[in-house]
């Protein structure tokens, strides 16, 4: 259980608490206005002085001793900002962190959210200029996107059935896409994404600059060497640099500190040799998000 | 060394009908935006680079640009 679960999980994982999907919660957090501003200005958020620093080469600033660290702490506090409940600043991504989820949990999320709509991925649109309808928008986001033409898929914004959406994310997972779930703003849950690197902006700022825009998932991958046949299928599945295939021993090694718990290696393994274990059961890693 | 990537907007006037630099950059560092976000006028959109410190200076964007609009310093 991460800090979000303690605060917003009602005893469960935060993204499995049905209250966080209610229209009432959207209302309380001003989700419609927040999301409209965020998605409208999506590109600007990355180019302008949004976190108090310029995103044109933030690494130079972060590498400055002391000042760099203070800046990081300051920026990270935006992502987890809880107050005011209604009125956080979308241009700073306040209260808008995401977390990596495994396919099984992602499917459970789809059972809780409604309506469900496929919309164009904002990151890919911004960085590659492509319209890829792979972001699954819920409630307030689903109701907001029709006002922003660049995110409406060519085929139109059609609501999806739960099983259709579950099938879709399964295809995405097979294709190597990482499932992530997003507050927008906390505790309201706005979207389930199917991301990949380097297009995903949140993953870039997490992986390259260590900013907590995207939290690690609730699980960690673990290889059962007795089941592994050394087929190497898992070798190309990890986008987080956690899995390396050891040719000498003919098995994959997983660096648990680096594992984001996306489960992509596990879903690809034909022998079921990679198990996803609860992060909380590992005393060293239970506070590493 | 600090990298700066400059796009000459006198040359690149309609990035949305080209997008070559955006699609070739290994780090997906180019960002296409318009000052007015729902602008339907394609000449109002610009490409710019975020995260310039992640640029590896591979020069792919410079090579691919049909209008020689990109300079890397
Ligand atoms: S978070 Fe992922 S799917 Fe969502 S907009 Fe960004 S890259 Fe696209
Ligand atoms: S090791 Fe497996 S579960 Fe962990 S981040 Fe890599 S692909 Fe995902
Ligand atoms: S996919 Fe499974 S069986 Fe194949 S190498 Fe990886 S862990 Fe072993
Ligand atoms: S030089 Fe290479 S890494 Fe740098 S912006 Fe151009 S394409 Fe991207
Ligand atoms: S490749 Fe050149 S002309 Fe094409 S969008 Fe990029 S900068 Fe503009």
């Amino acid at each position: 259980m991460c800090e979000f679960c303690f605060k917003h999980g009602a005893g469960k994982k935060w993204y499995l608490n049905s209250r966080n999907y209610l229209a009432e919660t959207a209302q309380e957090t001003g989700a419609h206005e927040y999301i409209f501003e965020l998605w409208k200005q999506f590109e600007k958020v990355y180019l302008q002085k949004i976190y108090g620093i310029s995103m044109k080469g933030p690494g130079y600033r972060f590498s400055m001793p002391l000042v760099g660290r203070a800046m990081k702490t300051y920026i990270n506090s935006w992502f987890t900002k809880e107050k005011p409940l209604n009125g956080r600043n979308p241009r700073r991504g306040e209260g808008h962190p995401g977390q990596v989820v495994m396919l099984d949990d992602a499917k459970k999320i789809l059972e809780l959210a409604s309506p469900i709509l496929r919309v164009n991925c904002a990151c890919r649109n911004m960085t590659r200029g492509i319209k890829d309808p792979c972001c699954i928008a819920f409630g307030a986001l689903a109701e907001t996107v029709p006002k922003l033409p660049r995110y409406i898929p060519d085929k139109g914004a059609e609501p999806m059935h739960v099983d259709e959406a579950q099938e879709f994310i399964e295809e995405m997972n097979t294709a190597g896409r990482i499932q992530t779930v997003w507050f927008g703003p906390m505790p309201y849950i706005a979207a389930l994404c199917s991301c990949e690197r380097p297009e995903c902006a949140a993953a870039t700022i997490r992986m390259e600059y260590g900013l907590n825009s995207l939290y690690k998932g609730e699980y960690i991958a673990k290889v059962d060497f007795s089941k592994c046949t050394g087929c190497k299928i898992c070798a190309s599945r990890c986008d987080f640099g956690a899995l390396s295939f050891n040719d000498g021993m003919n098995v994959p090694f997983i660096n648990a500190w680096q594992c984001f718990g996306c489960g992509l290696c596990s879903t690809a393994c034909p022998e079921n040799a990679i198990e996803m274990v609860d992060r909380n059961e590992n005393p060293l890693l239970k506070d590493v998000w | 060394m600090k990298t700066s990537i400059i796009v000459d907007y006198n040359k690149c006037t309609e990035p949305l009908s080209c997008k070559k630099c955006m699609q070739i950059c290994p780090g997906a560092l180019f960002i296409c935006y318009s000052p007015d976000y729902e602008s339907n006028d394609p000449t109002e959109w610009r490409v710019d680079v975020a995260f310039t410190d992640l640029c590896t200076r591979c020069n792919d964007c410079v090579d691919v640009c049909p209008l020689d609009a990109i300079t890397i310093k």
Side-chain angles (χ1 to χ4, degrees):
Chain A
M1 296 240 181
C2 64
E3 62 188 279
F4 305 144
C5 303
F6 284 115
K7 284 185 202 145
H8 303 295
K12 294 184 273 259
K13 296 190 178 85
W14 65 275
Y15 51 76
L16 298 180
N17 177 8
S18 57
R19 199 185 181 280
N20 298 339
Y21 297 89
L22 296 179
E24 207 184 311
T25 312
Q27 204 85 43
E28 281 168 12
T29 54
H32 290 83
E33 300 75 27
Y34 181 96
I35 289 169
F36 181 70
E37 281 301 308
L38 177 75
W39 279 60
K40 188 173 126 199
Q41 321 222 20
F42 202 78
E43 297 86 354
K44 205 172 182 177
V45 165
Y46 285 95
L47 274 173
Q48 288 214 328
K49 276 198 160 183
I50 109 116
Y51 302 126
I53 51 153
S54 166
M55 275 298 159
K56 300 203 91 175
Y60 304 121
R61 302 288 294 274
F62 291 147
S63 62
M64 294 179 348
L66 296 174
V67 180
R69 184 182 294 192
M71 247 182 224
K72 267 194 192 177
T73 311
Y74 177 64
I75 295 167
N76 281 336
S77 74
W78 296 123
F79 297 124
T80 51
K81 204 169 173 210
E82 301 261 355
K83 282 178 189 152
L85 191 58
N86 185 341
R88 279 164 285 182
N89 187 350
R91 272 167 242 112
R92 286 173 167 162
E94 287 177 6
H96 176 54
Q99 187 177 24
V100 170
V101 277
M102 294 201 318
L103 186 59
D104 290 353
D105 277 2
K107 286 184 175 171
K108 289 183 200 153
I109 287 172
L110 293 171
E111 281 163 17
L112 296 168
S114 105
I116 309 176
L117 208 67
R118 250 170 79 180
V119 303
N120 290 340
C121 161
C123 298
R124 277 179 202 83
N125 182 55
M126 163 174 85
T127 60
R128 298 295 196 199
I130 52 174
K131 310 276 183 215
D132 182 0
C134 68
C135 241
I136 300 190
F138 304 148
L141 178 59
E143 284 150 22
T144 302
V145 161
K147 288 190 222 148
L148 298 165
R150 67 189 185 284
Y151 303 121
I152 305 173
D154 290 342
K155 288 188 194 151
E158 291 287 317
M160 289 178 107
H161 289 291
V162 180
D163 17 342
E164 207 185 339
Q166 288 176 330
E167 210 173 294
F168 175 70
I169 57 163
E170 185 151 356
E171 279 166 28
M172 287 280 109
N173 185 285
T174 307
R177 297 284 188 87
I178 302 148
Q179 276 65 52
T180 57
V181 57
W182 296 88
F183 278 122
M186 199 184 273
Y188 185 66
I189 299 174
L192 179 73
C193 287
S194 284
C195 314
E196 66 188 333
R197 297 196 65 208
E199 285 81 8
C200 178
T204 296
I205 59 178
R206 169 75 202 249
M207 298 300 286
E208 304 290 350
Y209 306 116
L211 295 176
N212 273 345
S213 46
L214 181 64
Y215 275 55
K216 290 179 175 170
E218 302 284 335
Y219 303 87
I220 300 167
K222 192 169 181 265
V223 185
D224 180 345
F225 295 117
S226 69
K227 287 188 186 163
C228 174
T229 57
C231 72
K232 249 182 158 169
I233 288 171
C234 58
S236 59
R237 294 277 285 180
C238 187
D239 254 350
F240 297 100
L243 187 151
S244 52
F245 197 84
N246 185 308
D247 284 311
M249 294 177 68
N250 207 30
V251 285
F253 276 119
I254 289 167
N255 178 341
W257 285 90
Q258 245 160 284
C259 176
F260 267 66
C262 70
L264 284 194
C265 54
S266 167
T267 50
C269 175
E271 308 296 331
N272 279 325
I274 304 179
E275 191 197 348
M276 299 304 293
V277 292
D278 193 336
R279 181 177 292 274
N280 303 289
E281 285 167 18
N282 185 321
L284 280 178
L285 296 170
K286 70 178 181 22
D287 297 318
V288 178
W289 299 99
Chain B
M1 189 177 44
K2 260 194 181 179
T3 299
S4 55
I5 300 155
I6 300 149
V7 180
D8 183 343
Y9 301 125
N10 291 320
K11 292 183 180 166
C12 173
T13 51
E14 278 197 38
L16 283 177
S17 54
C18 170
K19 306 178 195 172
K20 291 198 166 65
C21 52
M22 301 169 74
Q23 294 185 346
I24 207 163
C25 178
L29 304 178
F30 284 86
I31 282 180
C32 196
Y33 74 103
S34 141
D36 160 16
Y37 287 91
E38 281 307 322
S39 175
N40 290 320
D41 179 358
T43 60
E44 285 199 7
W45 289 77
R46 299 266 177 274
V47 280
D48 201 350
V49 178
F51 315 130
T52 46
D53 51 338
L54 302 181
C55 169
T56 58
R57 291 175 172 260
C58 68
N59 245 33
D60 285 356
C61 55
V62 177
D63 295 341
V64 82
C65 178
L67 302 173
D68 280 333
I70 305 172
T71 319
I72 300 190
K73 279 199 275 207

